[in-house]
Amino acid sequence: VLNTLIMSATYISYYGFAYDDFSDGGPYLWGFSQSVAGGILVQYDLATGFETGVVFDVGTLVGSVGSAGGMFIADGIVPGFSTIGCMVQNEFIVGLELSPGDEPWITVTPLTGTVPAGESVVVDVTLDAADLSDITKTADLVIANNAGDDVIVDVTMIVLEDPIPVFDPPTNVEVDDVLGIVTWDPPAVSGVIIEDNFDSYTVGDHLAEVSDDWTTWSGGPGGSEDGVISDAQALSPLNSLLIEGSNDQLLIMDDYTSGVYTMELDLYIPSGFCGYWNLQKTSTPGTEWGIQIMFDVTGEATVDAGTAAAAIFNFNFDTWIHQKVIVDLDNDLATYYTDGVEIIQYQWTLGTGSGSIPAFGGLNLYAWASTGNSPQCYFDNVVLSSGTTRDLTGYNVYLDGDLISSVGTDIFDYTYEDLVFEQDYVAGISADYDGEESEIVEVAFEYQGVDAGNVIIAATKLNGNYPNPFNPITTIAYSIRETGKVTLQVYNIKGQLVKTLVNDVRETGEYTVTWNGRDNSNKTVASGVYFYKMKAQNYNNTKKMILMK
């Protein structure tokens, strides 16, 4: 016995029941009672087991004094409604509107009309899979034919299961088995169409002259509109694009008319200067602006999005600011973020205050300045991707499958503690997206460092530097198995000697040496990639490090 309901003396002799999970306040049980000629529908509250007082006289509706029969409840018999049905034995099958149901998945226009002999009429059939998943919908379109049998067109819509979101994991996960340090790089952006961090160019290059992805507003590479590659500021970490003077740079893009696209970039505005960038509706410069952001010397940024000055926010000079716009062409919607904070969401076709083109086709980096002021802005890490990129919120660090720590988005290394010499471990790193986690990237290693306070020297080895990237000090670790002459020197990317850190005899042991970012003349060196080379008896090795200011 699943449940027992209390039947009143008024309504008895039930011939059919149906379960109602559609109506507000339910679930209910409906019964088709023979207490009234032709049958009467009676509603029961399943929570209490008693009648609710809601009844419907079917016999009076259809003009019958016959016997009650079976029942059913179904959704979608009439699109947009759930239906309660019952049978008056040997006379009627009755359908009644029970409650609003699912939105219609199929619509037909027109529903009525006549097709003249020898002619044709276009009938639009629209299928809507919104909010549906892993389901098959079927319908029959019945077209009345006064010259013979009706024409029946079968319609089937198969909606596949929603794909499981894929959260991009960290990349380049490595373990220093002597120091017990795991390092990693940020996740790769999926669906990347264009990506440029300007590091493949030479400082002083005009961008449009050396890149196939960029041009200028007037289409003249190398002229006054063409921005210059600079290493004065960089986040990537070598170079950035400097926009100043009369520069007016354009990213060459296709004209997109459907789909979702994400534009991301970083910008750096020195104190006392202005910065600016915008998105274009098409690849033709100036056809329509989709959004523009003006960063003024006052420290206020003004956003034209949907209307002029739709949003105003404060920003900081002399630091990198992350920018992101998600353009959803299918829903005519755009969302603008600064440093992960949503600033405004608006109707994309309205652009910066007027417009109607439902398309996306360009990025414009322009040397704008308010009256009496000067433009100067550095841009880095420009990424155009298809789809909506997720906001990364941190990383999870694992050891042998156990969560050890969670760190922020600006941390790319972690030092394991209490490791045992020559014991096997599995390091793991995952990316966290506001509570949603990527797969864990695992790396197996055998610890070769310190055990119970005793240094055990396995081999002569250049172990690496920490932190990396660094500013301005990093520590380089190395080990010597046999006493002998050791040199450890730093070189720049051109192969020129920058600093000699070690040039002496070293006994067997573990060593560290620090470099403070200065050369042999005690002058501070520039940001960039450097190499440190160790030579010892029958040993020669070189590693890379990055000085990021």
Side-chain angles (χ1 to χ4, degrees), residues 318-329:
D318 305 315
T319 188
W320 286 98
I321 308 168
H322 187 66
Q323 304 282 277
K324 179 169 72 172
V325 177
I326 300 174
V327 180
D328 184 347
L329 294 172

Side-chain angles (χ1 to χ4, degrees), residues 5 49 57 81 117-118 142 165 222 303 411 455:
L5 304 182
D57 188 340
F81 298 95
V142 181
V303 185
I411 305 298
V455 177

